[in-house]
Amino acid sequence: MVILDGKKTSSKILAEVKNRVSTMNIVPHLAVILVGENPASIIYVNNKKKAAEQVGIKSTIIKMEKDITEQYLLDEIAELNNDNTVTGILVQLPLPEHINKNNIITAISPQKDVDGFHPENVGKLVSGIEPYFYPATPQGILMLTDEYNIPLEGKHAVVIGRSNIVGKPMGQMLLKRNATVTMCHSYTNNLDEIIKTADLVVSAVGKKIVRCKMVRKNSVVIDVGIFKDSNGKLTGDVDFDIVSPSCGFITPVPGGVGPMTIASLMYNASKVYP
Ligand code: NAP
C-alpha cells in the first residue's frame, strides 16, 4: 500500500506555480472576501494568504461585518470585477444565512472565479468545454493521482458526496478522464456493496463512512473529509487502519487532500485572463 503524500506533492506544485509566477509580466492579485468571524473561515483565509505569499501572488483580504446586506457584498464584487489590478476573486464560504450564496457566486466574473463555482464554469465543465477554472479540491485530487501515475481511464470511480464544491465536480472531472463514475449520497442503498466494486473511491462526506475492509485489493482511496472526532482529533471519512491494508493507494488525513486543495487553488490564482 502506498500513501499518497499530499504535503510533498503540494510543495512540488507550489514550487511550479512560484516559478511560473516569477516569469509572468504581471503579478496575479487574489482578492479574498471574508464575511463575519467564523473561526474556521478565518483559518482558511489566512492559510490562503500565506500560500499566496509563498508563491509570489499578491493577496488582499477584505473583511466585512456579518450583518452587511447582500447588496453591499454584490457592490464590492462588482468593483473587484471592474478592477484590472485584481485577477482573482474568492468569497469564503459559508456566508451568513441572510445572504444568498448563489447570487454571490454568480456575481463574480467567471474569468476571476478562482474557486470555479460560477455557473458558467460549472456549465462548461459539464458541457465538455474548457472552463476558466476547475474547482480546487477535485483538481487537486487529480493532480495527486497524476503525480503517482494512477490510471483513471476505464476505471470504476465511486464518489461519495454530491456537494457543488467537491462531489459533483469530482464526478464530472473523472468522467472527463474516461472513468466510469458512480455518484453516492445519503440516499444511496448498499453503499458498502458499491464500494466493493470500485477501483477508485473518493469520499467527501464529513462522517466516518468508509469503515469496511471491503475496498478492492489495489484500489485507490481518496479521503476528502476532515472533521474532529469525539476526542477533538482531526480525522477523515475513511477508517485508515482498517482500510489501508486492503487498498493499493490511500490519502492520509491530515496531509492528503487538504494541502492539495491549497496548491490547486494557488495554481488557479496564478492564471490570469485578459
Ligand atoms: P457537504 O456539502 O457537507 O455534503 C456532504 C455530502 O455527503 C452530501 O452530498 C450528503 O448527501 C453526503 N452524505 C451524508 N451522509 C451520507 C451517508 N451516510 N452516506 C453517503 N453520503 C452521505 O460536503 P462537502 O462540502 O463536500 O464536504 C465534505 C467533507 O469534505 C467535509 O468533511 C469537509 O470539511 C471536507 N472538505 C475537505 C476539503 C479539503 O480540502 N480537504 C475541501 C472541501 C471539503 P446528500 O446530498 O444526500 O445530503
Side-chain angles (χ1 to χ4, degrees), residues 68-270:
I68 54 153
T69 62
E70 184 173 312
Q71 191 55 51
Y72 184 85
L73 181 50
L74 289 170
D75 290 344
E76 179 65 36
I77 290 170
E79 236 175 79
L80 295 170
N81 283 341
N82 291 326
D83 182 341
N84 290 334
T85 69
V86 171
T87 56
I89 303 169
L90 184 158
V91 178
Q92 184 63 44
L93 300 176
L95 288 166
E97 268 178 22
H98 67 280
I99 297 178
N100 181 322
K101 177 182 75 178
N102 290 334
N103 291 345
I104 301 305
I105 290 171
T106 310
I108 298 171
S109 159
Q111 278 129 309
K112 297 188 182 187
D113 169 39
V114 291
D115 266 334
F117 298 160
H118 189 286
E120 182 176 327
N121 285 319
V122 177
K124 283 183 161 165
L125 169 59
V126 175
S127 311
I129 302 167
E130 193 62 21
Y132 294 110
F133 300 97
Y134 290 95
T137 301
Q139 176 174 258
I141 290 169
L142 293 184
M143 287 170 165
L144 188 59
T145 53
D146 285 348
E147 177 65 18
Y148 285 82
N149 296 314
I150 293 171
L152 299 171
E153 196 166 285
K155 302 294 179 192
H156 181 207
V158 171
V159 179
I160 316 170
R162 54 173 165 179
S163 71
N164 289 340
I165 63 169
V166 187
K168 281 186 202 156
M170 185 79 256
Q172 289 298 330
M173 290 169 78
L174 286 165
L175 262 186
K176 196 165 177 268
R177 295 288 193 98
N178 297 327
T180 302
V181 180
T182 302
M183 297 294 303
C184 302
H185 44 76
S186 67
Y187 294 85
T188 298
N189 292 326
N190 301 325
L191 182 62
D192 289 2
E193 293 302 312
I194 296 171
I195 291 172
K196 272 193 212 171
T197 67
D199 299 305
L200 168 75
V201 180
V202 180
S203 186
V205 173
K207 288 181 208 164
K208 212 41 103 198
I209 200 98
V210 186
R211 297 172 160 279
C212 51
K213 288 183 183 161
M214 291 163 184
V215 297
R216 256 191 194 171
K217 205 167 170 6
N218 298 327
S219 61
V220 182
V221 179
I222 307 287
D223 192 348
V224 184
I226 188 152
F227 54 96
K228 285 190 177 152
D229 67 13
S230 51
N231 302 318
K233 190 174 162 242
L234 272 186
T235 188
D237 291 1
V238 178
D239 193 330
F240 189 91
D241 294 339
I242 290 178
V243 171
S244 57
S246 329
C247 64
F249 298 86
I250 190 165
T251 58
V253 175
V257 175
M260 290 309 300
T261 296
I262 285 275
S264 164
L265 180 68
M266 290 306 123
Y267 170 81
N268 281 354
S270 70

